[in-house]
Amino acid sequence: MSADIQFGSLPAITGDDAPRSKGNLAAAALRFGSLLAFASILVIFSLTAPYFFTIGNIGNVLGQSAIAGVLAIGLTIVLIAGGSNVVTGGIDLSLAANMGLSAAVYASLIQFGYGDATAAVGAILTGLAIGAVNAAAVVLAGIVPLLATLAVMNIVAGLELVLTQNTVVPASTDLLTAISTSDGFGIPVLAYILIGFTAIVAAIVQYTPIGLRLYAVGEFPDAARAAGLPLKRLVAGAFVASGLCGGIAGILSVSYLSGSTTGSGEMLLPVVVTALLGAVFSGRLVPTITGTLISALFVGFLVNGFQLLNLPSTLVSGVQGVLILIVVSATTLLRKREI
């Protein structure tokens, strides 16, 4: 299996370059096909599943997508800075475990009698520390991200089990209650957090010099190096930012589940699906924060529709795996056409 997942844009159409023209047509088909598939799923579930297309259910999907969405945004930042190769480029497999340990730290600190401020700082610092370890392993030790983050994932998962003794750690505070409630329209606060968080990160990554440098490092590392950009610092910063997203997701997880629970590793596949699928919702078939948000909603509505129709939940993982295969296969074929 090839490790290359090319998200790069395709060259302009010229009258003498038939293969490239076909590549652009394929890229357009992939992009608009994804949007059409998204719209078709919404229509099908609206017609078949009761209460699917209601404000309350849409709000629930947004709220339920908040944790996976925040994690996927962190992974998207790593994808942007690390490049399209998931072995030597951008990938962070420790994100779900990061969320689990950050949640365990938050809930444990609450159990020890500390307030929300201290617990939140503890969770955020935990996420940042995990991101820093990933950055050191990749940038300083020179370990490929796939292996480095895989090793960190297992270490972090073990630390979570040690801290929680493999049990549920309940936590209930005014802040957690406020985050887990809904407004007068039945829309969860988590939905607003997801939208606000996406807007902030999108503004930074897609409209600031830092974001442009991240894209340059990921897509054109040689040119970025020749231009004098600090590649190692930017890549390290991407992993630290990803760790921060893990810490924030940990806090949201404690609020959503009223405590820390084991089994955070189950979040890894949906997060990878969301981040990879987000590229096909962007204008140039590259990872973007807004594309990741659309992808998170796509996956969220898909899972929600399955639940409303009482379809087996085991089918969801299968569908997510198929989505990964489609995206990887399509983008790899586009790269071959481009070459």
Side-chain angles (χ1 to χ4, degrees), residues 3 5-8 71-93 95 145 205 214-220 234-235 238-239 242 271-279 286-289 292 327:
I5 300 177
Q6 180 65 31
F7 297 111
L71 290 175
I73 286 173
L75 181 54
T76 301
I77 296 173
V78 175
L79 283 171
I80 291 172
S84 59
N85 191 307
V86 296
V87 175
T88 61
I91 190 70
D92 184 355
L93 297 180
L95 262 170
V205 173
L214 287 175
Y215 275 106
V217 169
E219 293 187 47
F220 311 104
L234 288 169
V235 172
F239 278 103
S242 176
V271 169
V272 172
V273 170
T274 301
L276 293 179
L277 193 61
V286 297
T288 62
I289 304 302
T292 298
V327 173

Side-chain angles (χ1 to χ4, degrees), residues 7-35:
F7 297 111
S9 60
L10 295 171
I13 300 176
T14 61
D16 300 330
D17 198 341
R20 292 187 176 184
S21 176
K22 291 180 179 178
N24 279 283
L25 289 175
L30 176 61
R31 183 163 57 247
F32 292 110
S34 302
L35 293 173

Side-chain angles (χ1 to χ4, degrees), residues 111-336:
Q111 286 281 308
F112 292 147
Y114 292 95
D116 281 311
T118 303
V121 171
I124 295 296
L125 289 179
T126 299
L128 288 173
I130 295 170
V133 171
N134 283 330
V138 172
V139 175
L140 298 181
I143 304 173
V144 293
L146 182 69
L147 298 179
T149 58
L150 180 64
V152 172
M153 177 189 75
N154 284 286
I155 295 171
V156 171
L159 290 175
E160 181 192 354
L161 292 178
V162 171
L163 180 61
T164 63
Q165 298 297 311
N166 199 18
T167 60
V168 176
V169 181
S172 177
T173 66
D174 292 339
L175 175 63
L176 296 176
T177 301
I179 294 175
S180 62
T181 56
S182 302
D183 64 7
F185 299 100
I187 299 176
V189 174
L190 283 170
Y192 294 106
I193 292 176
L194 174 62
I195 294 173
F197 184 79
T198 302
I200 294 172
V201 179
I204 296 173
V205 173
Q206 296 176 210
Y207 301 103
T208 67
I210 293 177
L212 294 176
R213 289 168 184 166
L214 287 175
Y215 275 106
V217 169
E219 293 187 47
F220 311 104
D222 293 335
R225 188 178 293 106
L229 294 181
L231 270 70
K232 290 185 176 180
R233 275 190 288 171
L234 288 169
V235 172
F239 278 103
V240 173
S242 176
L244 174 62
C245 291
I248 294 173
I251 298 173
L252 300 182
S253 174
V254 174
S255 172
Y256 186 73
L257 300 174
S258 299
S260 167
T261 61
T262 55
S264 59
E266 296 179 359
M267 289 288 296
L268 182 59
L269 180 60
V271 169
V272 172
V273 170
T274 301
L276 293 179
L277 193 61
V280 301
F281 290 111
S282 71
R284 296 190 305 120
L285 292 181
V286 297
T288 62
I289 304 302
T290 50
T292 298
L293 174 63
I294 298 174
S295 175
L297 298 181
F298 177 86
V299 175
F301 278 113
L302 194 65
V303 173
N304 179 257
F306 273 53
Q307 292 172 342
L308 291 178
L309 292 175
N310 291 321
L311 295 175
S313 59
T314 51
L315 290 177
V316 175
S317 295
V319 172
Q320 291 172 340
V322 170
L323 288 175
I324 288 182
L325 283 176
I326 291 174
V327 173
V328 171
S329 301
T331 50
T332 301
L333 288 173
L334 287 174
R335 173 173 168 74
K336 289 180 178 179

